[in-house]
Amino acid sequence: MSSPFDAFITNDDEVVALLAQEWTRQTSTLQLIASENFASPAVMAATGSILTNKYAEGYPGRRYYGGNQVVDEIEDLARRRLTALFGADHANVQPHSGANANVAVYQALLAPGDTVLAMRLDQGGHLTHGSPVSITSKNWNFVSYGVTPRNDDPAAPGEMIDFDNVRDMALEHRPKMIVAGATAYARRIDPAPFREIADEVGALLMFDSAHVAGLIAGGSHPNPVPYADVVAFTTHKTLRGPRGGAILCREEHAKVIDMAVFPGQQGGPLEHAIAAKAVAFKEAAQPSFSTYTDQVVANARAFGEALSEEGFRMVSGGTENHMVLLDLREFDAELTGKVAQEVLDRAGVTTNRNTIPDDPRSAFITSGLRVGTAAETTAGLTEGDFAQVASLMARALRGREDESVIGQVRAEVAQICSSFNPYAAFTK
Ligand SMILES: *Cc1c(COP(=O)(O)O)cnc(C)c1O
């Protein structure tokens, strides 16, 4: 089996063989990494297009190189589609990734050393929200807010963003910017209370919607654009486009944001990726995309409930987006996130280990596992299928010392994948 594009690589057997292996891996095992998806063949074709040849430093109408008549139209189309999709004043579609987009926002709107209030890394924040190993913590002074304490009463679940803590930290530290958004947080993030607190202390509000951009585009989650000064995100997670980033902002910030991306941080934009972003933005504007994102959320809810029935504890007691963050300790006190990820890999289920709030284990070992429904919902799985996946995961983890159990689960996983191949039409 091979992808529709491998046919173009006729002179490189080694790469063709590796692409075929990865094609088989992606379509015969379950992809449950919450930040991944299956881009459409149209998105992949644009990513592999002739635009990869073109240098286009600058912006449409203001390029430093000749020959950009067509490229200008491509980038303008991507910007128009993106501003329309989210109802924003201005879009920058050039960031090569979500991390680049975030750093460009900080560079545009902050002076070195300015204080930023963002979510704690070990409670769901991203590396670019001030991790000690990230350039962000070296250039700016990050302080953090966290989640409320664990509470097992289903009527008042804990482990949700603690807005009293956000406000107290904002009043104490008077940040120049507040960052909303997370990378491992299963609850809806309401932009309104963040805006209120930002206004109270005179801070800018940046919403990092890397994970949930697709859910917002589909109307399954609240749109932060009316509340935030800037919204930054990746285009390859729930938005289901090519690997990359984008920034939306109010008109008053447009010029500094554009300057920070180019020439502030990047050189020539990846116009092939920008064409693929344009394709993805059009796909996300279709009614069928809203059906997709509603199904992603419904699947996560069903998946979380089925995993709870197997004895896993959901952090925050539930999910309202595309992911479930599991605390493995209730299922098996000995089972670490690292071991669970490795066992599930052998059983054909791709996940990632993750810290959970107040995790007693290190970030390398962890007590948590993060799973998401965005990719396999694209492949066509619905609630009942995710319940089956939950029981397969539990079986593999309980029987992790027994290779025959792992083998049986792997065979059942392959059976599911053969019924739900996202690229079935292209599989020879
Ligand atoms: C994924 C993610 C990013 C970074 O995106 P990359 O494309 O991997 O650089 C930034 N912020 C959040 C909240 C994310 O989840």
Side-chain angles (χ1 to χ4, degrees), residues 97-100 102 126 128-129 181-183 208 210-211 234 236-237 244:
S97 71
N100 282 30
N102 286 357
H126 188 259
T128 56
H129 299 174
T183 197
D208 179 354
H211 262 272
T234 59
H236 50 273
K237 296 180 181 173

Side-chain angles (χ1 to χ4, degrees), residues 299-312 314 383-384 386-391 394:
N299 281 348
R301 195 177 313 124
F303 196 21
E305 278 165 17
L307 287 162
S308 302
E309 279 164 27
E310 294 289 348
F312 297 94
M314 277 191 276
E383 290 92 329
F386 274 101
Q388 190 190 347
V389 173
S391 84

